[in-house]
Amino acid sequence: MAFDYKKEYREFYMPPKTPTIVTVPPMQFIAVRGQGDPNTEGGAYQQAIGLLYGIAFTIKMSKKGSHQIEGYFDYVVPPLEGFWQQDGGQEIDYARKDDFKWISLIRLPDFVKKEDVEWAVSEASAKKKADFSKVEFLTYDEGLCVQCMHIGSYDDEPETVRLMHEYIALKGYQTDISDKRFHHEIYLSDARRVAPEKLKTVIRHPIAAKS
C-alpha cells in the first residue's frame, strides 16, 4: 500500500477545529513563486498548480523509467499547500487579493534530492512540450506554530485566524510572520469538486515567545 503522508502524519494534516500548538520539522517541497489574485482564471497561480502537479507525478512515476531514485518507495502525492504574504504587515487582507505574494508547494518524500527535481523538470519539459523551469526544490524549517482546521470558504478564514490569534496570546506567544516565516495553508479539499462551505483547509501560523 502506498505511503500516505496525511494518514501517517495526522498531527500536521488533520488538526482539530480548535487551535493547537505544533512543532513542524524541516520538510522539502517542490515550489513555484508568484503574485496576484489566485482566483484569476488561467492566471499565474492556476498555472503554478499545473506545473507543480506535472513535476510531482513525474517524480512519483520515475520508478517506471530509467531514472531510479535511491530509497524510493511508493507514496500518495501529498496535498497542495501555499505560503501567503502581503506587503505592510503580518495580517492577510482577503479583500486585497491582487496584492498576494505566494509560494505554491507540494511536499516531497525525503528520498527526493534537488538533482531529482532538476531531472523531473527536464523530463516533464521534454515530454509535455512545456516550460517547467519555474519549479524549484525548497527546504523549509517551519518550527513552532499554531494551527487549526478551517471548514468553509477561503474568504471566511479571517474568523478562524482570529481564534488562532486569541489562542496564541492566551498561551503567552506572539505571531511571528515575516519574510521568512509565512501564513501557511494546506488544501485538503479539491475546490473544483467540493462546495465552499465544506472545504477543509489547515491554517498554520508561526509563533515565538513574546518579546
Side-chain angles (χ1 to χ4, degrees), residues 84-157:
W84 298 89
Q85 288 179 302
Q86 286 173 330
D87 292 333
Q90 294 189 351
E91 297 295 329
I92 295 292
D93 183 351
Y94 290 77
R96 294 169 41 223
K97 292 185 175 66
D98 286 340
D99 296 332
F100 276 135
K101 296 179 180 179
W102 41 262
I103 306 175
S104 191
L105 319 107
I106 294 176
R107 184 179 179 179
L108 292 171
D110 291 342
F111 61 74
V112 178
K113 303 296 186 287
K114 183 178 180 181
E115 53 265 32
D116 297 314
V117 173
E118 292 170 348
W119 164 82
V121 167
S122 177
E123 180 80 357
S125 296
K127 284 193 171 181
K128 298 178 182 295
K129 304 274 193 290
D131 183 7
F132 285 84
S133 62
K134 289 183 179 180
V135 180
E136 63 181 272
F137 178 87
L138 175 68
T139 299
Y140 185 58
D141 187 355
E142 198 159 16
L144 192 64
C145 297
V146 162
Q147 65 181 11
C148 188
M149 181 71 79
H150 171 76
I151 308 293
S153 166
Y154 304 131
D155 287 336
D156 292 336
E157 288 181 5

Side-chain angles (χ1 to χ4, degrees), residues 186-203:
I186 304 174
Y187 308 105
L188 302 178
S189 305
D190 186 340
R192 299 168 300 177
R193 296 179 173 86
V194 177
E197 65 273 14
K198 295 182 179 179
L199 292 171
K200 292 183 178 181
T201 307
V202 180
I203 302 177

